[in-house]
């Protein structure tokens, strides 16, 4: 109980903070007992692409937090907007025929930025919640259309769509499904377009078509009149930054059009400049009926997410003559909305997407591709500012390691941490998604630390006999 009374500041010794953390804070996606033995790394400050920890290390954040701090840490304008909004109207709901200025202004801004006739915003507090909304929304849409049997949503293995019951069910993470009896009914999964790992002897082009046609086969197997929607990330993020072959998305779009099923693009990572356009759907050339948004919407300064909905789906549900029986206390939260709006204005006014396209991406791309010269690195992918490298014991064969998947990736991640670089590992892929404002001299530091970490990892696994192919 004493800990509850302690004033917890940045100035307590790290060990004390770690002990309190272990005693009272249960972490997401964490083996908590193992973490308690080791002690969490405690982050105290952020500025631009840089973080400071409680031991005073200056860390370059290659992941923009969890892919969200698009405009970088420490922007005073957002703090000011939040303070002003809290004083003026800290909270009001958008249920029961009420609205408020921040929710209205943000929805109008999002509609202006979104492509095509994606003109309507339903707010949530996070990406997971927004995907739960999408499940409710597409099923409601088909009900109103007089096709209530259209309930099945097709997704992909190794997709990430959040961690609520609905979000985790849409996702295709086997480790998540294994805990808690998921997926919920009427959500099915097809294979992912991961050529490096699963393409075998096919060319990327052939493989992209083959994996897209699995959608058509699945629709035929289920019955086209029972399928409500297909959901996918334009580029898989948490699955390992998997960039589909060029043939994939056009074929998916053809199939969705031909069978008249709704296409949901989960833009939680790919939205708001990450791929060098406002939305990943523009980069990949697709026309979704619904987009899921969160993360970069507020650059992580406040929790907010939502669904951007096309005219047809909106009008059908809105004009059904009944309430849509769904919503969250914090749908369109005024402080989060005001912060998100200012964030979007900053992205626009400061030309941050042009910076991604014309400066940061080209500069990083050359050096990122250069990592394939490292003995451990197979392919290197980079779209806009989301990138991945595949670690492999044998590039020619695109081989996996004999060790348990993720063993080498974890080692590499630990070397990065030790070198004050945050790169994440997904299995044996290393991924980055730095703040969109990253400057060339910061990219140099990121790459220098990545090389050093790869060298150390290579030496380590070689010494331990882990450099063996499966
Ligand atoms: C992070 C993420 C989500 C979940 O968002 P939360 O805000 O964590 O609920 C959903 N979809 C994608 C593609 C994501 O990367």
């Amino acid at each position: 109980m004493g800990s509850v009374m302690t004033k917890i500041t940045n100035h307590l010794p790290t060990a004390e903070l770690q002990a309190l953390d272990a005693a009272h804070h249960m972490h997401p996606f964490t083996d908590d007992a193992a973490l308690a033995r080791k002690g969490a790394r405690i982050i105290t400050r952020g500025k631009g692409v840089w973080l400071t920890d409680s031991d005073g290390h200056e860390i370059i954040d290659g992941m923009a937090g969890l892919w969200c701090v698009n405009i970088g840490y420490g922007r005073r304008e957002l703090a000011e907007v939040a303070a002003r909004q809290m004083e003026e109207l800290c909270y009001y709901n958008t249920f029961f025929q009420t609205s408020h200025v921040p929710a209205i202004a943000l929805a109008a801004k999002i509609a202006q930025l979104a492509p095509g006739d994606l003109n309507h915003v339903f707010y949530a507090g996070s990406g997971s919640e927004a995907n739960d909304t999408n499940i409710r929304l597409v099923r409601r849409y088909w009900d109103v259309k007089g096709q209530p049997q259209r309930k099945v949503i097709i997704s992909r293995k190794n997709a990430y769509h959040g961690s609520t019951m609905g979000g985790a069910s849409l996702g295709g993470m086997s480790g998540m499904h294994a805990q808690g009896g998921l997926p919920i009914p009427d959500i099915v999964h097809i294979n992912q377009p991961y050529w490096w790992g699963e393409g075998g002897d096919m060319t990327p082009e052939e493989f992209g078509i083959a994996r897209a046609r699995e959608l058509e086969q699945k629709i035929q197997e289920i019955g086209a009149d029972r399928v409500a929607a297909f959901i996918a990330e334009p580029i898989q993020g948490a699955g390992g930054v998997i960039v589909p072959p060029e043939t994939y998305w056009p074929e998916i779009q053809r199939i969705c059009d031909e069978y008249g099923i709704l296409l949901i693009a989960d833009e939680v990572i790919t939205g708001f400049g990450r791929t060098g356009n406002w939305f990943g759907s523009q980069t990949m050339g697709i026309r979704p009926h619904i987009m899921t948004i969160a993360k970069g919407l507020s650059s992580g300064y406040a929790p907010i997410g939502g669904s951007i909905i096309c005219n047809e789906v909106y009008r059908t549900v809105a004009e059904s003559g009944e309430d849509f029986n769904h919503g969250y206390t914090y749908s369109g939260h005024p402080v989060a909305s005001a912060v998100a709006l200012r964030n979007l204005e900053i992205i626009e006014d400061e030309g941050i997407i042009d910076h991604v396209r014309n400066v940061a991406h080209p500069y990083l791309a050359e050096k990122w591709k250069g990592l394939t010269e490292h003995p451990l690195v197979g392919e290197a992918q980079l779209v806009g500012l989301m990138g991945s490298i595949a670690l492999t014991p044998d590039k020619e064969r695109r081989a996996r390691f004999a060790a348990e998947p993720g063993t080498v990736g974890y080692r590499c991640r630990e070397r990065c941490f030790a070198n004050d670089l945050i790169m994440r590992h997904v299995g044996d892929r290393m991924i980055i998604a730095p703040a969109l404002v990253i400057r060339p001299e910061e990219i140099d530091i990121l790459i220098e630390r990545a090389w050093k970490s790869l060298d150390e990892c290579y030496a380590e696994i070689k010494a331990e006999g882990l450099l063996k192919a499966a």
Side-chain angles (χ1 to χ4, degrees):
M1 290 312 293
S3 61
V4 181
M5 308 301 292
T6 313
K7 188 161 181 290
I8 297 169
T9 71
N10 281 347
H11 310 295
L12 283 180
T14 299
E16 228 172 288
L17 287 168
Q18 286 171 330
L20 286 170
D21 186 65
H24 303 296
H25 178 201
M26 189 171 181
H27 289 249
F29 289 101
T30 296
D31 175 342
D32 269 288
L35 179 63
R37 288 190 294 274
K38 183 179 175 189
R41 188 162 198 177
I42 293 157
I43 305 299
T44 53
R45 304 187 69 80
K47 187 80 192 162
V49 299
W50 295 93
L51 294 169
T52 308
D53 73 7
S54 55
D55 293 328
H57 291 107
E58 299 283 324
I59 305 157
I60 188 158
D61 183 4
M63 286 302 300
L66 281 177
W67 332 73
C68 53
V69 189
N70 287 13
I71 64 166
Y73 296 95
R75 293 290 303 242
R76 164 160 294 174
E77 300 95 308
L78 296 194
E80 285 169 354
V81 145
R84 225 180 301 133
Q85 187 58 48
M86 279 191 195
E87 282 186 61
E88 196 168 295
L89 181 67
C90 64
Y91 175 76
Y92 200 70
N93 66 72
T94 51
F95 295 19
F96 314 133
Q97 307 189 343
T98 61
S99 200
H100 51 66
V101 177
I104 297 166
L106 179 61
K109 184 70 195 172
I110 291 170
Q112 180 217 322
L113 295 173
D117 70 349
L118 291 160
N119 285 323
H120 310 274
V121 180
F122 192 103
Y123 289 113
S126 66
S128 302
E129 286 179 7
N131 277 327
D132 277 36
T133 296
N134 293 338
I135 297 173
R136 304 282 310 276
L137 183 68
V138 299
R139 290 181 178 170
R140 176 69 188 148
Y141 170 81
W142 288 114
D143 273 350
V144 177
K145 293 289 263 189
Q147 301 183 55
Q149 79 290 350
R150 276 202 193 244
K151 288 207 167 44
V152 177
I153 302 174
I154 303 176
S155 180
R156 303 182 300 181
K157 293 176 188 164
N158 200 35
Y160 189 78
H161 297 298
S163 194
T164 52
M165 291 291 282
S169 294
L170 290 175
M173 299 286 174
S174 50
M176 293 175 78
H177 289 179
Q179 297 178 348
L182 301 177
I184 58 174
D186 289 329
I187 293 176
V188 300
H189 299 81
I190 57 173
N191 283 308
Q192 58 180 339
Y194 179 25
W195 176 79
W196 167 269
E198 302 174 0
D201 294 334
M202 283 188 228
T203 65
E205 293 71 28
E206 291 164 350
F207 181 72
I209 295 283
R211 284 288 157 103
R213 296 246 166 102
E214 286 193 22
L215 175 60
E216 190 160 39
Q217 287 150 19
K218 188 57 88 179
I219 292 169
Q220 288 169 352
E221 183 188 312
I222 295 165
D225 61 337
R226 290 190 52 229
V227 179
F230 174 65
I231 183 169
E233 302 150 87
I235 296 165
Q236 282 158 269
V241 184
I242 292 162
V243 182
E246 279 177 15
T247 50
Y248 181 76
W249 271 115
E251 185 65 2
I252 292 282
Q253 182 73 58
R254 174 194 70 78
I255 294 165
C256 290
D257 291 348
E258 203 166 307
Y259 292 86
I261 67 173
L262 297 176
L263 175 58
I264 307 168
D266 186 336
E267 295 261 10
V268 169
I269 288 174
T270 52
F272 308 106
R274 175 59 60 197
T275 69
N277 285 296
W278 276 101
F279 296 95
S281 293
Q282 295 163 319
T283 303
M284 306 311 274
I286 50 178
R287 299 182 308 280
H289 297 91
I290 299 171
M291 282 182 182
T292 320
I293 53 172
K295 296 195 173 125
L297 170 59
S298 67
S299 282
Y301 281 73
I304 183 168
S307 306
I308 324 180
I309 304 159
C310 72
N311 289 343
E312 155 68 10
V313 172
Y314 168 77
R315 282 188 195 131
T316 301
V317 173
E319 293 169 8
S320 70
E322 282 177 70
D323 289 1
F324 178 37
N325 296 318
H326 174 69
Y328 307 105
T329 300
Y330 296 138
S331 285
H333 189 284
V335 178
S337 298
V339 167
L341 178 61
R342 190 74 196 99
N343 170 62
L344 299 183
E345 288 168 356
I346 287 174
I347 294 175
E348 201 168 38
D349 295 348
E350 297 183 4
I352 289 175
I353 297 177
D354 285 342
H355 171 78
V356 172
R357 293 174 79 101
N358 302 327
V359 181
H361 170 83
Y363 193 81
L364 176 57
E366 198 200 317
K367 292 168 194 284
W368 193 250
K369 294 279 176 220
L371 291 173
T372 56
E373 283 160 33
H374 193 281
L376 259 189
V377 178
E379 73 162 358
Q381 298 265 18
L382 185 74
V383 177
L385 287 179
M386 62 192 292
S388 54
I389 50 179
L391 305 183
T392 173
D394 181 349
K395 304 180 197 216
E396 292 310 310
R397 292 175 41 230
R398 310 204 309 269
R400 291 165 199 260
F401 293 96
E404 176 90 3
T407 307
V408 176
Y410 177 80
R411 296 295 188 92
C412 184
R413 203 272 311 266
E414 290 295 280
R415 293 324 307 155
C416 292
F417 258 36
N419 290 316
D420 294 335
L421 164 65
I422 295 182
M423 255 211 291
R424 187 167 144 188
H425 81 107
V426 176
D428 295 316
R429 290 177 82 80
M430 304 304 298
I431 62 180
I432 55 161
L436 307 186
V437 295
I438 193 168
R439 298 191 307 249
E441 57 271 30
E442 293 166 333
I443 290 172
D444 288 340
I445 297 169
L446 186 155
I447 291 290
E448 188 187 301
R449 292 183 184 180
W451 270 101
K452 181 164 189 278
S453 305
L454 285 165
D455 284 345
E456 290 171 4
C457 176
Y458 185 71
E460 189 179 303
I461 66 169
K462 204 169 170 187
E464 291 177 42
L466 287 170
L467 198 59
K468 279 203 286 283

